[in-house]
């Protein structure tokens, strides 16, 4: 059922903040861009943004309207690339921020893409499978004027999965009159998906966390990990941390928070979440009733892997982690970045820490174009190499210039974006 409380985005102040966070990040990088800062305004202006009406017939015959978006923030380095999010709180300005972070992310790890993002303002848990399919197909039809394998390539994000991507690919293909697998990534394997894509974001979080841990002397065996979010990203990362001998001491999701000093059995927790829908009520750990207490759990590595702006001025001072590895997009505000820097908590930014998903999306897109598919070992090895090289390059810039890893990642990425902008010049 449609959510009667969901306001139109332009009346909902809750997510205007993510675009504001991004703009502050751009302000912080601008002094480091040298002559390219002449083009910096490019970073503040999305190239194009589309708002669409998505009307569908519900199973009971009534018609419901949902608001959808696709934003292409920048295409100087290649086609737009980024996921599609189904969430009741999605707004245009949030999608603008998420699209901009994709531009930075793709440039930071040197993928030949610009940045884009999409979303539909809907709580998909209230829809039947048939309603979800109709919503996805109508949304795909409405944004078909923007997307395409050489123009803009969607992928999964919060509350969208392989099945949603298969419906999007099929809808676009029906419009084209030919099967176009490369129009979306994160598809099921039988319709042009890639091995390793499902686990890629969580794997990337782990790979980057391991690289950062080595730099600051955290030994992974025995290290305490706290994770917010137990979906595709948080759940996948938790499994790899546990396999490396870490203790996953706390997990929080939309339903609750659980804690176990000796380490949670991650496979048992995953089975509980699959059955119960949330970590709440997991018998193998102690419940923490006040969600705010999650942030002060002592740990070596804190992984926010849920939504934006979870770590702000109000809770950054309470964090008792040695480093934060951002599985989510935009989980830390600039005010919190400053507090954490002053407290010597290393923040490994989203644009590198969660880039594993889009990196394997890139592999999927390349495989679709060549119709030649790689082994999972090849994919995982290439993923690890791209991410550790990107991390090392950003670490070096941060050390040389005495700036945070986030500003360093923005220096590397925005330099690449604006070099492309300058080389291409203005049209006409
Ligand atoms: N939604 C993911 C992200 O935020 C993946 C995007 C993609 O694969 O294009 O990075």
């Amino acid at each position: 059922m449609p959510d009667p409380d969901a306001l139109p985005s332009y009346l909902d102040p809750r997510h205007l903040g993510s675009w504001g966070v991004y703009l502050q990040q751009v302000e912080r990088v601008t002094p480091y861009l040298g002559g390219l800062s002449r083009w910096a305004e490019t970073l503040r202006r999305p190239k194009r943004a589309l708002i669409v009406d998505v009307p569908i017939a519900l199973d009971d015959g009534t018609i419901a309207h949902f608001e959808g978006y696709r934003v292409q923030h920048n295409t100087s380095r290649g086609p737009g690339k980024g996921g599609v999010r189904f969430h009741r709180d999605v707004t245009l300005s949030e999608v603008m921020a998420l699209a901009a972070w994709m531009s930075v992310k793709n440039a930071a790890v040197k993928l030949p893409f610009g940045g884009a993002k999409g979303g539909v303002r809907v709580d998909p848990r209230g829809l039947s499978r048939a309603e979800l399919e109709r919503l996805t197909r109508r949304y795909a039809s409405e944004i078909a004027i923007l997307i395409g394998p050489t123009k803009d390539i969607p992928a999964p994000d919060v509350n969208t999965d392989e099945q949603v991507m298969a419906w999007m690919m099929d809808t676009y293909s029906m419009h084209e009159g030919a099967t176009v697998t490369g129009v979306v990534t994160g598809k099921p394997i039988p319709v042009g998906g890639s091995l390793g894509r499902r686990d890629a974001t969580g794997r990337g979080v782990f790979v980057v966390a391991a690289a950062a841990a080595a730099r600051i002397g955290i030994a992974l065996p025995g290290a305490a990990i706290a994770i917010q979010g137990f979906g595709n990203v948080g759940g996948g990362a938790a499994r790899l941390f546990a396999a490396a001998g870490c203790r996953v001491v706390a997990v929080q999701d939309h339903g609750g928070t659980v804690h176990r000093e000796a380490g949670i059995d991650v496979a048992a927790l995953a089975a509980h979440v699959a059955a119960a829908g949330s970590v709440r009520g997991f018998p193998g750990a102690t419940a923490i009733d006040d969600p705010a207490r999650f942030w002060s759990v002592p740990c070596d590595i804190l992984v926010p892997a849920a939504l934006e702006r979870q770590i702000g001025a109000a809770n950054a001072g309470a964090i008792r982690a040695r480093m934060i590895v951002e599985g989510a997009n935009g989980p830390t505000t600039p005010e919190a970045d400053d507090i954490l820097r002053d407290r010597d908590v290393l923040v490994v930014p989203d644009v590198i820490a969660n880039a594993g998903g889009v990196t394997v999306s890139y592999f999927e897109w390349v495989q679709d174009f060549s119709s030649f598919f790689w082994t999972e070992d090849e994919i995982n090895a290439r993923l690890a190499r791209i991410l550790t090289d990107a991390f090392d390059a950003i670490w070096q810039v941060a050390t040389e210039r005495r700036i945070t890893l986030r500003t360093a990642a923005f220096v590397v990425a925005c330099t690449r974006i604006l070099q492309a902008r300058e080389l291409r010049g203005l049209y006409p």
Side-chain angles (χ1 to χ4, degrees), residues 46-403:
K47 179 179 174 61
R48 52 172 81 94
L50 179 66
I51 301 180
V52 295
D53 176 32
V54 185
I56 62 163
L58 300 176
D59 292 343
D60 67 5
T62 57
I63 310 295
H65 290 258
F66 299 93
E67 192 172 310
Y69 319 95
R70 184 73 187 172
V71 176
Q72 293 171 356
H73 171 261
N74 189 279
T75 57
S76 294
R77 299 181 59 262
K81 182 86 193 85
V84 171
R85 171 175 297 201
F86 290 168
H87 195 284
R88 59 164 281 178
D89 295 331
V90 167
T91 64
L92 176 62
S93 72
E94 181 191 17
V95 177
M96 284 160 57
L98 292 164
W101 283 321
M102 289 308 304
S103 300
V104 177
K105 188 185 307 187
N106 292 331
V109 293
K110 244 198 250 184
L111 307 181
F113 293 130
K117 202 87 174 195
V120 179
R121 199 168 163 75
V122 60
D123 181 357
R125 286 172 306 182
L127 299 177
S128 70
R129 184 180 160 90
E131 289 167 341
L132 182 67
E133 178 172 352
R134 290 198 286 275
L135 177 93
T136 302
R137 287 185 180 279
R138 183 61 189 250
Y139 169 69
S141 306
E142 293 297 337
I143 66 165
I145 54 171
L146 286 192
I147 64 174
T150 59
K151 291 161 74 178
D152 179 2
I153 306 109
D157 197 75
V158 174
N159 293 335
T160 54
D161 61 10
E162 294 177 3
Q163 179 60 71
V164 168
M165 293 306 117
W167 289 328
M168 287 189 71
M169 186 276 275
D170 183 70
T171 304
Y172 182 86
S173 296
M174 291 300 117
H175 284 233
E176 291 293 298
T179 296
V180 186
T181 53
V183 66
V184 296
T185 58
K187 300 178 296 295
I189 305 280
V191 289
S194 175
L195 293 168
R197 175 62 185 85
R198 189 184 298 164
D199 300 332
T201 313
R203 180 173 296 278
V205 168
F206 173 76
V207 165
V208 174
R215 294 280 184 172
I216 63 167
I218 297 176
L220 285 188
I225 319 288
I227 304 182
Q228 187 197 37
F230 203 71
N232 179 259
V233 182
R239 202 159 19 82
L240 290 168
F241 279 117
C246 303
R247 287 176 294 130
V248 176
V249 296
V251 177
Q252 175 171 80
D253 72 2
H254 55 89
T257 309
V258 292
H259 179 251
R260 186 167 186 264
E261 181 62 33
I264 292 168
D265 178 341
V266 171
L269 182 61
H272 174 83
V273 171
S278 142
V279 302
R280 188 194 181 97
F282 176 59
T286 312
I288 295 181
D289 291 332
D290 176 5
R293 275 192 45 220
F294 168 78
W295 302 105
S296 54
V297 169
C299 60
D300 296 294
I301 306 175
L302 172 64
V303 182
L307 296 171
E308 302 93 88
R309 293 183 298 133
Q310 297 298 299
I311 303 174
N315 59 355
I319 285 172
R320 289 159 75 193
R322 292 174 66 192
M323 77 177 185
I324 295 174
V325 181
E326 296 183 333
N329 290 309
T332 312
T333 67
E335 298 75 36
D337 271 339
D338 292 345
I339 295 167
L340 294 162
R341 181 201 55 213
D342 293 346
R343 294 185 57 227
D344 261 342
V345 179
L346 182 70
V347 178
V348 185
D350 48 5
V351 292
I352 167 100
N354 72 28
V358 71
T359 301
V360 179
S361 277
Y362 165 54
F363 299 160
E364 180 174 332
W365 181 74
V366 169
Q367 292 170 88
D368 286 342
F369 264 105
S370 57
S371 293
F372 178 75
F373 290 85
W374 312 347
T375 66
E376 191 157 1
D377 284 348
E378 269 174 284
I379 285 161
N380 289 345
R382 284 183 161 144
L383 170 65
R385 188 156 3 104
I386 286 180
L387 292 182
T388 46
D389 285 356
F391 177 81
D392 290 347
I394 287 160
W395 183 272
Q396 196 183 334
V397 171
T399 313
E400 281 169 10
R401 300 205 162 187
R402 297 166 177 272
I403 51 181

